[in-house]
Amino acid sequence: MIQDLNSLAATIGHAQWHDWTRWFSYKIPTTPEASLAIARSTAAIIAAIFGKSKKCLVLDLDNTLWGGIIGDVGRDRIDIGKETPLAEAYTAFQQYCLDLRGRGVLLAVCSKNQQEIAREGFSHPDSVLKLEHFSAFKANWEPKHENLQAIAAELNLGLDSFVFVDDNPAERALVRAQLPMVLTPEVGSDVSLYPAILQATRCFETVRLSKEDLERADAYTANAARASTAAKFADYGAYLDSLQMSAEIELFSPVYLDRISQLINKSNQFNLTTRRFTYAEVEGMSKNRAYIPLYGKLADSFGDNGLVSVVIGRREETVLHLDLWLMSCRVLKREMELAMLDVLVQHAASSGIETLIGYYYPTAKKQDGGGLLPPTRLFIRINRRRGLRLEPEHRRLRAADPAHRDLAKGH
Amino acid sequence: MNSTEIIAELQPIFADILDLPDLRLTAETTAPDVEGWDSLAHINLVGAIEKHYKLKFALGELQDLNNVGDMANLIIRKLGA
């Protein structure tokens, strides 16, 4: 079970959360109000574990789900939609109820109304809730507590799993008196507060994610989606194909210089030389023909990863020194480095370069064992695929990576 | 307000927190005299008193109290300050 203390603290406010006097006196770190919030939250979670969460939300109609008395003003004049602040507030509350339904909470109507007129409200074009969202619908002139009992019988649910929301304090008092097992929160008459008041009761707490929850849980990061996609493919190549990756690899352009400098000065993991350059230096290289400075952006079917790779080649006659080669960790194992290499070689070949020299300086923060393409293997690819001569700094590579022997054989 | 009046006001607070409707407080009452006045109840009592009088006891102010009368005098001092 997870108790989300941060969200509780955020709700109460950090300044109202800690109490140093209580900490030093009793070793209780929180204010009485915060302690109460923690206790209530814990109780709600425990109740949910024991299946005590509420299962059915019973709603009044006039001035609860929409503004105005539908029997008086007619369907077309009730407050719902986006035209006025009040209408928006009712729409938001309807949406809140619909979201609860999405999590498996049943919705029911209990209203003093004529059945046909009451049902008409949900045919209003701006009504978020539609008739089919309700599992029970009682619109008549019987006392509300009797209707609640009828709904319970109809749905075959205990009244202790019911929550009743009505803007009329007299109806709330009646239900509270007649049916104390029904949770009847003191919602008042301001609909804009209803969602927060209901939320604060924590009475619809859930302890596990159902299929419906997952369907709505867009909060999952795109990376989680990518990871689960990867798991579905036996062949990693097929997974990469499915991502429908598209890269933009170009010479530095002014609009990206900020991001490029930022990457250069913070990337550690996939950074072969970890050389840092100031913004002015980066700008200088972008204008200096002695350099081939490339950036790479990568987008895929889950979204745009943005600018994620930087390579800077410095030419000396027919030799190109790879002063910088870095890539953001978020696109590791996507073969982005090979795409960068392709473009680099194109530029190099078209400007008379015969030799690329790569440099790799290991640092404490580089962890090449993590499955990314080891830099030395990258250099081998430079050598084999493009027919350009590769001259890595053997002295450094020997210490860094046993793969250097393969390199040596290549020469 | 004098000490007696404060103690009269404290009585319902103590009765509520300690769940002892018949509790009778005097200036000489101490924690060991009262059933259920343990360390946790003490924390709740302090919190309820702070809330009632809208004041905050400083660290150390509560350490030297010997009985309810001392508490009443402390409240008088803090309300006057």
Side-chain angles (χ1 to χ4, degrees):
Chain A
M1 290 308 138
I2 291 172
Q3 164 99 296
D4 189 355
L5 286 182
N6 277 336
S7 107
L8 293 178
T11 305
I12 286 184
H14 220 242
Q16 274 77 48
W17 187 258
H18 292 289
D19 186 327
W20 290 110
T21 309
R22 275 162 63 91
W23 172 250
F24 292 125
S25 303
Y26 321 127
K27 293 296 172 285
I28 295 173
T30 46
T31 59
E33 293 74 24
S35 300
L36 188 62
I38 294 170
R40 287 206 170 114
S41 169
T42 309
I45 291 170
I46 292 169
I49 292 169
F50 286 96
K52 299 293 183 191
S53 292
K54 302 297 179 183
K55 299 180 178 68
C56 183
L57 176 60
V58 184
L59 298 150
D60 172 49
L61 294 180
D62 295 334
N63 294 321
T64 297
L65 280 186
W66 55 66
I69 312 285
I70 195 168
D72 293 344
V73 301
R75 187 201 79 164
D76 296 343
R77 303 280 307 280
I78 58 175
D79 290 311
I80 193 75
K82 301 273 182 191
E83 301 308 318
T84 67
L86 190 60
E88 268 199 77
Y90 283 106
T91 304
F93 181 52
Q94 285 203 2
Q95 185 62 51
Y96 177 78
C97 295
L98 187 60
D99 290 346
L100 284 177
R101 186 178 181 275
R103 280 168 36 193
V105 175
L106 300 181
L107 301 182
V109 164
C110 179
S111 167
K112 283 195 168 149
N113 250 311
Q114 238 176 294
Q115 176 89 356
E116 306 78 52
I117 294 173
R119 294 171 73 92
E120 254 186 11
F122 296 101
S123 68
H124 190 290
D126 290 331
S127 184
V128 173
L129 289 171
K130 304 293 178 195
L131 274 180
E132 69 257 28
H133 295 136
F134 294 98
S135 306
F137 202 108
K138 297 286 173 205
N140 53 43
W141 306 99
E142 303 300 321
K144 294 218 170 185
H145 66 277
E146 290 179 16
N147 276 325
L148 280 165
Q149 285 169 319
I151 293 169
E154 217 171 280
L155 299 176
N156 204 15
L157 285 171
L159 279 164
D160 58 354
S161 67
F162 276 42
V163 180
F164 176 61
V165 173
D166 196 315
D167 68 295
N168 185 335
E171 301 288 9
R172 293 199 296 268
L174 171 78
V175 169
R176 223 176 266 137
Q178 295 297 320
L179 305 171
M181 66 294 250
V182 172
L183 177 65
T184 306
E186 198 51 33
V187 292
S189 58
D190 183 351
V191 68
S192 63
L193 305 177
Y194 286 8
I197 290 169
L198 278 184
Q199 199 59 33
T201 67
R202 304 276 301 257
C203 65
F204 299 114
E205 194 79 15
T206 48
V207 285
R208 62 178 65 86
L209 286 171
S210 66
K211 184 159 160 287
E212 300 90 271
D213 291 323
L214 287 174
E215 278 167 3
R216 298 185 314 109
D218 292 333
Y220 271 134
T221 62
N223 259 337
R226 290 186 186 103
S228 77
T229 305
K232 288 181 201 151
F233 290 96
D235 173 4
Y236 196 73
Y239 160 65
L240 289 179
D241 286 343
S242 81
L243 287 177
Q244 298 175 309
M245 292 185 288
S246 127
E248 172 189 322
I249 300 169
E250 301 283 352
L251 293 167
F252 284 8
S253 85
V255 65
Y256 294 129
L257 290 182
D258 271 329
R259 168 65 178 157
I260 288 166
S261 315
Q262 187 196 30
L263 263 183
I264 287 174
N265 289 298
K266 75 170 194 193
S267 295
N268 287 312
Q269 207 174 33
F270 192 106
N271 191 338
L272 304 196
T273 59
T274 323
R275 290 183 64 173
R276 311 300 195 193
F277 297 107
T278 65
Y279 181 89
E281 287 171 323
V282 173
E283 193 181 26
M285 288 185 281
S286 74
K287 291 175 179 161
N288 188 336
R289 296 179 65 94
Y291 289 91
I292 300 180
L294 296 176
Y295 71 84
K297 295 172 70 182
L298 183 68
D300 62 37
S301 57
F302 291 101
D304 191 350
N305 295 285
L307 199 154
V308 288
S309 184
V310 179
V311 174
I312 296 176
R314 176 177 47 85
R315 64 182 303 171
E316 261 175 24
E317 297 178 359
T318 60
V319 173
L320 191 70
H321 299 274
L322 303 184
D323 285 352
L324 187 83
W325 190 306
L326 67 82
M327 196 168 71
S328 159
C329 301
R330 68 178 111 145
V331 294
L332 289 179
K333 297 179 77 179
R334 304 282 286 276
E335 300 193 350
M336 180 64 181
E337 61 276 19
L338 300 183
M340 294 294 289
L341 174 58
D342 283 344
V343 176
L344 179 70
V345 167
Q346 278 166 22
H347 279 282
S350 68
S351 52
I353 302 289
E354 293 171 4
T355 307
L356 300 182
I357 299 184
Y359 300 89
Y360 173 42
Y361 306 133
T363 64
K365 281 190 175 169
K366 285 185 188 119
Q367 295 296 329
D368 295 326
L372 60 92
L373 193 63
T376 42
R377 280 180 49 217
L378 180 62
F379 294 153
I380 294 167
R381 292 214 192 204
I382 294 176
N383 197 19
R384 286 186 188 152
R385 286 171 56 177
R386 297 300 163 182
L388 290 166
R389 223 153 46 77
L390 176 77
E391 292 182 3
E393 281 208 328
H394 284 164
R395 187 175 46 83
R396 295 183 190 280
L397 284 170
R398 189 171 297 128
D401 193 323
H404 103 91
R405 272 185 243 109
D406 296 335
L407 274 174
K409 268 188 267 171
H411 285 274
Chain B
M1 251 188 291
N2 64 35
S3 172
T4 316
E5 287 165 337
I6 295 281
I7 291 172
E9 285 186 351
L10 290 179
Q11 177 136 318
I13 297 174
F14 275 65
D16 178 40
I17 297 284
L18 299 172
D19 200 17
L20 296 172
D22 300 327
L23 180 69
R24 289 287 165 266
L25 287 184
T26 68
E28 285 72 40
T29 307
T30 64
D33 301 335
V34 181
E35 189 194 341
W37 187 348
D38 55 18
S39 58
L40 189 59
H42 188 76
I43 294 172
N44 290 332
L45 284 171
V46 170
I49 293 166
E50 286 181 331
K51 204 171 165 187
H52 183 84
Y53 290 104
K54 298 188 176 60
L55 52 77
K56 195 105 180 82
F57 295 113
L59 201 60
E61 277 183 329
L62 300 169
Q63 279 174 19
D64 304 325
L65 305 184
N66 292 316
N67 53 35
V68 172
D70 285 355
M71 169 67 97
N73 289 329
L74 175 61
I75 292 169
I76 291 168
R77 202 161 69 238
K78 290 195 70 92
L79 288 177

